Amino acid sequence: MEDDLHLARRATLAGAAVGLRYAADLDRLARQQKSDGSLVTEADRAVEAVIREVLAGACPDDAILGEEVGQTGGGDRRWIIDPIDGTAQFVAGDDRWLVLVALEEAGEIVVGVAAVPAQRRIWWARRGGGAYEAELPAGPEFSDGGARRLDSTLGPVPPLSGGRLGVVPPDEHVYPAEEEMIAPLRAVTTSLPWRTHAALLVARGELDIAVQTRGQVWDFAATSLIVTEAGGRYTGLDGRTRPGPGPALFARTPALHDAALRVLTAGGNPAPD
């Protein structure tokens, strides 16, 4: 039988292929605003549909939660899908959009896959099995050949005051209230632009800290596991460790995460690193 990680990667590849087809013809892409003001497109719905088809075909008794359709089914196992994370970037022709698929069992994320199709990269993690990165295969079949195991703690880890910070979404999409929220952290770190989702760069060790100013469970399910299995830490700004709605914090090490969280929650009064 196909294991859960292989299935998650197969579903992600199917979604990535559909997303790339739509990305090649953006002028004809149907799009609209949701009730919450966010953007949704025909591509978002098509990518979610094909991922659901793959998952339901292999695991018909599992629940599936997707950003566009909501939840179907029930039980202790739930697949969580963000078909196009970064729709605003997608419709602008920006290559930073992702396809995210995760599996939750009894409230814990146990498998996470994140693909950046336009950059031909894929990341994955299994709880207790580490985190990996590889080139996105050209076809539907996946091989572990060429995969690199990630260790966010490799290399010098600076104190918070010398840390490299990435903020998601890109600066031009950060709301004023969100900017006020992260200002204490910006004041003691160096903010850097990112060409790949900042949480994935934390897993690589190329950023020290990432703040995602808003999101839902599908925004964080895959990336939270990838970062933690690489050796880093993820929580909401309220300290919860399970993915959920609201802003979130990722860091290369637990100590760096704790220092950053203290600054954010203390309103700019840093404790010793």
Side-chain angles (χ1 to χ4, degrees):
M1 290 181 63
E2 183 177 30
D3 72 22
D4 292 327
L5 176 58
H6 189 280
L7 174 59
R9 292 187 305 201
R10 182 162 66 89
T12 302
L13 292 180
V18 171
L20 286 169
R21 288 201 294 272
Y22 279 96
D25 195 13
L26 290 173
D27 289 342
R28 299 172 61 182
L29 181 64
R31 60 195 77 179
Q32 65 187 83
Q33 277 196 327
K34 299 183 192 178
S35 59
D36 64 2
S38 62
L39 186 66
V40 65
T41 73
E42 181 184 359
D44 294 87
R45 297 187 176 105
V47 171
E48 182 166 327
V50 73
I51 294 173
R52 283 177 172 272
E53 181 180 1
V54 171
L55 296 175
C59 299
D61 295 329
D62 290 354
I64 302 177
L65 171 66
E67 180 177 6
E68 307 310 333
V69 175
Q71 182 159 323
T72 56
D76 286 341
R77 286 169 49 95
R78 179 172 72 161
W79 296 92
I80 302 172
I81 306 166
D82 192 342
I84 296 181
D85 182 70
T87 300
Q89 284 78 55
F90 180 85
V91 300
D94 188 317
D95 67 2
R96 291 178 286 181
W97 56 280
L98 303 95
V99 177
L100 302 173
V101 176
L103 174 62
E104 178 187 65
E105 287 188 336
E108 296 285 348
I109 305 300
V110 296
V111 167
V113 182
V116 187
Q119 297 181 12
R120 308 304 306 177
R121 304 302 295 174
I122 185 167
W123 288 255
W124 67 88
R126 188 201 306 267
R127 182 166 293 279
Y132 295 82
E133 178 188 356
E135 184 176 354
L136 191 76
E141 295 302 319
F142 195 93
S143 169
D144 287 341
R148 176 172 71 100
R149 184 160 185 164
L150 299 172
D151 185 345
S152 64
T153 68
L154 281 178
V157 179
L160 183 62
S161 56
R164 301 161 296 175
L165 170 68
V167 176
V168 181
D171 286 348
E172 62 272 21
H173 296 292
V174 176
Y175 301 143
E178 295 171 338
E179 189 60 57
E180 182 178 353
M181 173 184 70
I182 60 178
L185 192 55
R186 285 201 194 270
V188 296
T189 58
T190 299
S191 295
L192 297 176
W194 44 271
R195 289 299 309 151
T196 302
H197 193 286
L200 299 175
L201 296 184
V202 168
R204 273 187 188 169
E206 293 181 10
L207 286 175
D208 302 303
I209 307 152
V211 174
Q212 194 159 341
T213 62
R214 57 186 178 271
Q216 299 293 330
V217 62
W218 47 76
D219 294 290
F220 304 123
T223 53
S224 64
L225 184 64
I226 291 167
V227 168
T228 56
E229 283 297 318
R233 178 174 287 179
Y234 156 88
T235 71
L237 294 198
D238 58 3
R240 57 176 166 74
T241 58
R242 293 184 179 183
L249 175 67
F250 304 83
R252 284 177 63 196
T253 67
L256 195 57
H257 175 280
D258 291 347
L261 189 60
R262 285 196 299 267
V263 168
L264 287 168
T265 57
N269 298 310
D273 293 323

